[in-house]
Amino acid sequence: MQVVNSKQELKKALKSYRSEGKSIGLVPTMGALHQGHISLINRCRAENEVVVASIFVNPTQFDNPEDLKKYPRTLESDCELLEPAGCDIVFAPSADEMYPTLPKLSIDFGNLEHVMEGKYRDGHFNGVGIVVSKLFHLVNPDRAYFGQKDLQQVAVLRRLVNDLSFDLELIACPTLRESDGLAMSSRNTRLSAEARKIAPQLHAALQKAKDLLIQGKTAAETQKEINSFFEAIPEFRPEYFEIADFDDLEPIKKMNTEGKTAICTAAYLDGVRLIDNIVF
Ligand code: PAF
């Protein structure tokens, strides 16, 4: 496995693979890797001849400088997970390497910007869109892999690939969960032991809402029950809990019978912002 830090080295590392016409898969990450990321690498390994993982804590997608500062940076242990998983190239650039000048361009994702994550994290998807576009240009992959835990990110990136005609297949992979249901996330390591015990209740809330909608309750009735659910666990500070259409993430009044329903939530617990979703 090669670890490269510059665009030039990355180009060089990819050159021979390209000349042999090998298929290239990309797994973009911000590091602090866990088994959820490794499941993306495994899928990428199975479907491509060359596996590239990027590790870059992208400053332009953080609206909160404290959150950016606290984001774990664990390149060495990340590489220890990537190598046995069959990764060929790790691209781990510095912020100056990725942004010799700060981008002046901004990407408007339309309605997707103004709901859920977009509403609470100003400029977040613009930052994601720009960095992922850069990675797509630098690696030029045949396939790129993202976790469905960030459901809205996947929707935004689908729009990016479609509207800018990136010649690649975007693959969304299922969320990996701990045995108690908590979605795997780099942020989980920041939870205290006490908070970690409570954290799976976020997934339990999603399950409960799903059951209520399937029983025929409206979104408003379901929201009401979920509000009481969270009131009983004051350690949680929910930011949003949205029942939406899977395709455009617009709020819906009842379970979607034509297509899929998505329930998405974000909540603070022990000062850590957790997100999760369920699709059915
Ligand atoms: O999902 C992430 O880890 C990041 O948003 C991504 C896609 C690597 C862009 O920085």
Side-chain angles (χ1 to χ4, degrees):
M1 185 175 81
Q2 287 184 73
V3 182
V4 297
N5 304 112
S6 70
K7 291 176 277 206
Q8 211 46 40
E9 286 173 286
L10 175 67
K11 207 169 164 180
K12 214 168 130 200
L14 285 168
K15 202 172 169 185
S16 61
Y17 291 124
R18 272 201 216 299
S19 61
E20 291 162 23
K22 293 200 161 148
S23 60
I24 298 173
L26 170 67
V27 181
T29 82
M30 297 209 298
L33 303 184
H34 48 69
Q35 286 311 313
H37 295 108
I38 298 306
S39 73
L40 304 184
I41 298 284
N42 291 341
R43 172 102 186 252
C44 183
R45 176 73 281 163
E47 296 177 352
N48 301 276
E49 287 163 296
V50 182
V51 174
V52 181
S54 63
I55 297 184
F56 178 59
V57 182
N58 174 35
T60 66
Q61 69 187 76
F62 285 79
D63 61 336
N64 176 346
E66 261 319 288
D67 204 22
L68 172 62
K69 215 160 83 188
K70 280 198 227 151
Y71 205 87
R73 287 153 175 91
T74 55
L75 182 60
E76 213 172 300
S77 55
D78 290 344
C79 289
E80 281 165 16
L81 287 175
L82 288 171
E83 183 147 33
C87 180
D88 297 299
I89 301 172
V90 180
F91 177 49
S94 66
D96 286 345
E97 182 66 19
M98 278 309 263
Y99 296 109
T101 55
L102 271 182
K104 304 215 169 34
L105 177 83
S106 75
I107 310 175
D108 182 347
F109 288 100
N111 67 313
L112 287 174
E113 292 242 347
H114 307 297
V115 293
M116 301 192 275
E117 290 297 291
K119 203 151 93 185
Y120 291 91
R121 300 178 75 185
D122 198 25
H124 171 69
F125 288 122
N126 177 50
V128 171
I130 294 215
V131 80
V132 171
S133 301
K134 279 177 180 267
L135 291 167
F136 285 171
H137 284 306
L138 293 170
V139 178
N140 194 13
D142 297 280
R143 296 177 195 86
Y145 298 80
F146 297 88
Q148 196 151 308
K149 184 169 83 70
D150 295 295
L151 192 72
Q152 194 171 1
Q153 172 168 280
V154 171
V156 158
L157 293 177
R158 276 200 202 293
R159 194 164 285 181
L160 183 87
V161 167
N162 185 60
D163 288 6
L164 296 182
S165 307
F166 278 106
D167 187 16
L168 57 88
E169 193 185 344
L170 192 147
I171 295 164
C173 302
T175 304
L176 247 68
R177 298 186 179 278
E178 305 290 352
S179 55
D180 56 11
L182 177 64
M184 288 188 188
S185 163
S186 311
R187 291 167 190 253
N188 295 351
T189 54
R190 285 166 42 200
L191 294 169
S192 66
E194 210 41 50
R196 174 62 190 81
K197 277 189 218 153
I198 302 168
Q201 291 305 316
L202 197 63
H203 179 55
L206 291 168
Q207 283 287 1
K208 186 177 167 74
K210 174 182 165 183
D211 293 344
L212 291 168
L213 288 164
I214 289 174
Q215 283 162 29
K217 298 259 187 204
T218 63
E221 287 162 342
T222 305
Q223 292 275 8
K224 216 167 147 204
E225 293 216 24
I226 294 301
N227 290 346
S228 317
F229 180 93
F230 279 120
E231 271 161 27
I233 318 171
E235 290 87 347
F236 271 115
R237 184 162 61 79
E239 216 168 41
Y240 63 82
F241 192 95
E242 298 284 352
I243 298 160
D245 175 74
F246 172 72
D247 289 321
D248 60 12
L249 298 183
E250 288 291 324
I252 50 177
K253 291 195 162 55
K254 283 194 91 137
M255 187 181 89
N256 217 340
T257 45
E258 312 274 279
K260 288 192 212 162
T261 301
I263 315 176
C264 303
T265 185
Y268 280 92
L269 175 66
D270 193 25
V272 181
R273 189 173 186 276
L274 301 175
I275 64 168
D276 201 355
N277 65 75
I278 202 167
V279 175
F280 57 102

